[in-house]
């Protein structure tokens, strides 16, 4: 085992980052050291760098979407062996807040997010809780396994848990990038119909149609609401997912709902949309639902679906960059270079 490793380090005071030599971390009780194979680059990583998300630590290793192999077990860890192929969950409950104390860990009031509250996976090694690991089925590649830890599981949580999409319900998805693409695929998997993808970019709309959307519309189209009405036989949407999180996408998605429809807010920004007149909100019986993340068991469910050929993620990895070129990967995502679904870092 080496004593030092290469790791990306983000400095909050200057909002700059560099790839540096740092000590290989030591797994504590209940923890496991994982040798990282791949780790995704997510918009929320960019949000920490550009200041949209407040920094929680003066310096932190970013990246919260990692796959790898178990390299070392901490004290008291059972059930895992060195060399096991694993996915790390991207967060851990605080175990101390009122919700954690009643064992409602998924609604922890002070959830500790990997790459924000503790060091993440843009490094040769990272530490995770043994209880948060998911075994990767033999026929699932490390690349696809990595993105199960956010880019696919957050959409799963949004579609299955928060949106509770039922067979035959109509669904709209605003923004069909890393998150929205997988919302389209999972909505298809649970039987939504029709599925309408809404995006500015014609190439992205074309891709959404190939991956399971029935219609793809331009959000700038003045006839957008008419087209959504027409596609749903005049009913409009049962469930709208805003994977962008801007004022315009959120309000458009809310406007497109049928009476009693659900808006699921997945994308995040610093913008402040409005729900309009409370009178209309009440009359329309619309529901606005905030969404974050997933439950650990969802990663295993998704790994099983990929392993059994029910969920095809073969198009989801748009590029892989070496850790030393992390700046290039971040820039590609920022500029939407090639309309990436997911860009991975390989330490
Ligand atoms: Zn993320
Ligand atoms: Zn808690």
């Amino acid at each position: 085992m080496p004593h030092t490793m290469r790791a990306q380090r983000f400095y909050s005071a200057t909002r700059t980052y560099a790839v540096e030599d740092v000590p290989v971390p030591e797994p504590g009780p209940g923890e496991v050291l994982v040798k990282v194979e791949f780790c995704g680059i997510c918009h929320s990583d960019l949000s920490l760098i550009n200041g949209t998300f407040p920094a929680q630590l003066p310096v932190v290793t970013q990246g919260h979407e990692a796959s790898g192999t178990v390299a070392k077990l901490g004290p008291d860890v059972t059930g895992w062996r060195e060399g096991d192929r694993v996915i790390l969950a991207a967060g851990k409950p605080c175990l101390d807040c009122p919700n954690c104390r009643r064992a409602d860990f998924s609604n922890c009031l002070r959830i500790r997010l990997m790459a924000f509250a503790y060091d993440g996976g843009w490094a040769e090694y990272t530490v995770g809780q043994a209880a948060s690991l998911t075994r990767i089925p033999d026929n699932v590649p490390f690349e696809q396994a990595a993105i199960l830890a956010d880019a696919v599981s957050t959409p799963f949580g949004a579609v299955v848990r928060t949106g509770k999409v039922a067979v035959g319900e109509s669904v709209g998805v605003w923004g069909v990038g890393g998150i929205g693409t997988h919302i389209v695929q999972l909505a298809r998997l649970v039987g939504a119909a029709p599925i309408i993808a809404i995006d500015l970019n014609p190439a992205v709309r074309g891709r959404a149609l190939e991956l399971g959307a029935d219609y793809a519309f331009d959000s700038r189209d003045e006839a957008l609401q008419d087209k959504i009405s027409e596609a749903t036989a005049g009913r409009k949407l049962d469930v709208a997912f805003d994977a962008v999180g801007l004022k315009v996408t959120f309000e458009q998605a809310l406007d497109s709902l049928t009476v009693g429809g659900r808006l699921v807010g997945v994308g995040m920004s610093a913008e402040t949309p409005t729900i309009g007149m409370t009178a209309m909100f009440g009359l329309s019986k619309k529901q606005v639902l905030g969404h974050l993340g997933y439950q650990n068991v969802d990663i295993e469910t998704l790994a099983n679906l990929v392993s059994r050929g029910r969920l095809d993620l073969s198009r989801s990895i748009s590029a892989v960059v070496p850790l030393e070129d992390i700046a290039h990967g971040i820039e590609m995502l920022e500029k939407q270079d090639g309309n990436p679904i997911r860009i991975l870092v390989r330490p």
Side-chain angles (χ1 to χ4, degrees), residues 42 44 64 150 342:
C42 176
S44 59
H64 54 269
D150 185 19
R342 235 1 169 215

Side-chain angles (χ1 to χ4, degrees), residues 92-101 104-105 107-112:
K92 50 189 176 189
C94 75
L95 304 180
D96 194 40
C97 72
N99 281 349
C100 281
R101 282 172 188 273
D104 184 11
F105 302 119
N107 287 317
C108 171
L109 298 168
R110 291 188 288 271
I111 181 87
R112 304 190 66 228

Side-chain angles (χ1 to χ4, degrees), residues 77 109 112 124 178 244 251 253 272 301:
V77 172
L109 298 168
R112 304 190 66 228
E124 290 180 83
V244 182
E251 292 177 358
T272 51
T301 299

Side-chain angles (χ1 to χ4, degrees), residues 13-214:
T14 52
R15 285 214 234 118
T16 55
Y17 59 86
V19 178
E20 299 173 352
D21 288 315
V22 298
V24 173
E26 193 61 35
E31 292 181 336
V32 167
L33 182 71
V34 174
K35 184 175 193 309
V36 179
E37 287 288 337
F38 293 94
C39 185
I41 305 175
C42 176
H43 275 282
S44 59
D45 296 309
L46 306 190
S47 296
L48 180 63
I49 296 170
N50 69 27
T52 304
F53 287 175
Q56 297 180 17
L57 296 171
V59 54
V60 71
T61 295
Q62 295 187 267
H64 54 269
E65 204 174 68
S67 65
T69 52
V70 172
K72 189 178 179 182
L73 304 180
D76 309 327
V77 172
T78 56
W80 295 101
R81 275 191 292 189
E82 281 178 32
D84 283 345
R85 303 166 79 240
V86 294
I87 302 160
L88 294 117
K92 50 189 176 189
C94 75
L95 304 180
D96 194 40
C97 72
N99 281 349
C100 281
R101 282 172 188 273
R102 62 205 290 261
D104 184 11
F105 302 119
S106 58
N107 287 317
C108 171
L109 298 168
R110 291 188 288 271
I111 181 87
R112 304 190 66 228
L113 296 177
M114 179 176 183
F116 296 90
Y118 60 98
D119 285 336
W122 294 349
E124 290 180 83
Y125 294 89
T126 191
V127 165
Q129 286 180 313
S132 77
L133 299 180
T134 301
R135 196 177 301 278
I136 303 173
D138 290 341
N139 67 342
V140 175
F142 277 118
E143 291 92 327
Q144 293 179 23
I147 67 169
L148 297 185
D150 185 19
V152 190
S153 49
T154 292
F156 181 93
V159 170
V160 174
R161 297 190 182 281
T162 303
K164 294 187 171 64
V165 175
V167 176
E169 285 196 309
S170 56
V171 160
V173 183
W174 271 256
V176 199
I179 294 291
T181 292
H182 299 122
I183 293 178
V184 168
Q185 287 184 281
L186 290 160
R188 183 98 191 181
L189 197 57
V190 301
I195 298 167
I196 303 173
I198 295 108
D199 202 285
L200 296 172
N201 186 315
V204 170
R205 292 200 297 272
R207 184 177 68 197
L209 291 170
E210 290 166 17
L211 287 170
D214 300 286

